[in-house]
Amino acid sequence: MTKRTAPYGSWESPLSAELLTQATVDIRYVFVDSVTHEHYHIELRPSEKGRNAIVDAHGKELSSTTAYDARTRVHEYAIGCAVARNGRVVFPDFTSFDVLRTDKSSGEWSKAVSVVPRHPAYRYGDLEICPTEPDLLVAVREDHTIDEPSKVINSIVLVDMGKRETIMTLAGGCDFYTTPKLSPDGKLLSWIDYNLPNMPWDNSRANLAKFDTSTGLSDVQSIDGGLEMSYSVSQLRWSIDGSHLLWLNDSTGYYNLYAREIQSGKNDLAAGKALAHDAGAVDWFLGQSSFASLTDDLVVLSAQKSGVFNLVSLSSRSIIASFDTPFLSGQQIRRVTDEIIVLVGTGATTQSVLARIDLQLSDGKLDASITVLKETSSIKVDEGYISRAQALVAPSKAAPGMHESKPLAHMFYYAPASKDHQGPTDELPPCIVRCHGGPTSSAVSGLSWQIQYFTSRGFAFVDSNYGGSTGHGKVYRDRLQKNWGIVDIEDTVACVEHLAKTMIDRKRVAIVGGSAGGYTVLASLCAYPDVFAAGCSQYGVADLKGLADETHKFESEYLFGLLGGRPSEVPDVYRDRSPIYNADKIRSPLLVLQGEVDKVVPRSQAHAIVKAVRANGVECKYIEFEGEGHGFIRSENIRTTFDEQLKFYRSVFKIADSSDATVHVITEV
């Protein structure tokens, strides 16, 4: 079939904004009942105003628990959260601030009942049902009685679900607690804690103590990490028989799996050697899982990027086998039985799915059979419309970090792709450059319909993994320390300059990002007004001191490391790197999208930059979404963000609108 030649960015596409929201869900959390071996997942449904629903292994929602939203408010990021044991499911309800329990009997779920003292100031997450006394619940509790970051109290508590009483506080005194896990016999409790100004990936500590349901904890000991160490720990959990405690540790420069033999008290690299790649992501959210204890001896460990999974033997401290999967990224890896795991995986040209992997180990050979249990989207398009990620690097002008000679900027590049269209031979495509949030986070290379929405219309798309991003080791991650607003900008510009040599039209480049990525958008428009022809900031940071004063507890001192001190210590840095004080340098049109009730980056940040840019006579459109927080989860609002961006980029780049760009009528604030 002959392709029709048409200007880049003007192509018609089967991927409408409406299709992207009505036909998709987001699987954010997977959990397994270790007694019945039934697995569940929590899916965010944009079509139900972003509600998080619990779905069982048969695809059936817990129907008797209507009008719930299974996500935690701990740390404000509202991620799915639940736990199951012996036919009982317990989960926090985002709407009511409650924790609910439902039990399965004769195939039916009981009416959900409250199991904690209901209090609008209490938030619960990282739930753990006691294996010996099923009415007892261990949980992280965040107390907002005085709702100021420095006065919010985090702790680990023991709750009697039958009496709806908090029996005792098990651990307190640190700023944050995560991952409380009881040993299989219920006699030991492990957890991770850390203190501000550290984030969990800067410095954190793994702990172990004897646990008694009547007296609480005794013989508390720190087993790894701590204030005197310059590394972090993550994803603490038990082996199947309780003989080992497992966790990730980045002291080698990458997150590697460690094992502690409980009897001897000795910590070792579980694979016998350090691997030169991260085995997990940093802990922005509770409940992450990039490995699973399969048997008393074997652990399945993801290599994260390559689709390869390793089988680690605890007894021999070695990798005894590996298997390939089509998944470029694997998350929420959970054990079902000795030979079955479930996970959420995304391929290069296949959407994110909930998958089951059956493993058979025989004579040193490992066979893996993959079954797709749930697709996150019903979108079906010809592969001709799908653009594959190309991993590229570009030399950066940013100052080299420690142990670096010539800094490189990492990125994923997506070329325009269409089954029906091609661009003119004398034209290069316009480009959209996206800066991820965090900033200590990353862009991944699996199929994203949000990216394909633009590439299938003739736009090139770039995901910038600037210095400070995760997935490239601790040295690369630490490049952003004291240098936020410098390294991220220089690396993103380096990506553009590299691609502009032969692959994209340097005069038609837009920059987009959310949260910390929105900050990089605004700061880049200030620092390099001639590089970016347009910008789209989604709930982005404009005033760094204002953010330090207003944001939530979890990130209340995050900036101190990123900028090199407190506002009182380095006031010039906060002012000089704040877009609000450099807004007179912004000359390119700007689109600003913001959630009304955002507690992470309050809407005052958006209001300030919009006012400043408009005062300088620069085109600036502002849309505020009622009821949305930090990130947009309602289908009608997600549709608007895509339709408005498409209209905005086409207008700035002078590309004629095609008939598929349906723009929803909205009210501009």
Side-chain angles (χ1 to χ4, degrees), residues 274-310:
L275 305 178
H277 59 77
D278 283 317
V282 298
D283 285 333
W284 272 106
F285 311 119
L286 302 178
Q288 296 196 105
S289 180
S290 58
F291 67 89
S293 184
L294 195 63
T295 68
D296 294 348
D297 182 54
L298 301 178
V299 180
V300 176
L301 177 66
S302 171
Q304 289 296 293
K305 289 185 177 180
S306 62
V308 174
F309 286 72
N310 295 317

Side-chain angles (χ1 to χ4, degrees), residues 49-61:
K49 298 184 178 181
R51 187 174 74 90
N52 282 242
I54 300 175
V55 181
D56 67 18
H58 309 289
K60 182 180 179 182
E61 185 182 350

Side-chain angles (χ1 to χ4, degrees), residues 70 152 158 238 248 287 340 370 384 431 498 559 594 606 665:
V152 172
L158 181 64
W238 291 90
L248 300 181
I340 299 173
I370 301 173
C431 182
H498 179 76
L559 297 189
Q594 177 69 35
V665 177

Side-chain angles (χ1 to χ4, degrees), residues 108-129:
E108 298 296 328
W109 291 99
S110 65
K111 181 180 179 181
V113 296
S114 175
V115 297
V116 297
R118 183 174 294 181
H119 195 301
Y122 290 169
R123 305 174 181 187
Y124 296 88
D126 260 352
L127 311 178
E128 178 85 343
I129 297 174

Side-chain angles (χ1 to χ4, degrees), residues 333-344:
I333 302 168
R334 309 289 185 185
R335 172 192 183 269
V336 180
T337 70
D338 288 357
E339 298 179 336
I340 299 173
I341 62 172
V342 290
L343 56 81
V344 178

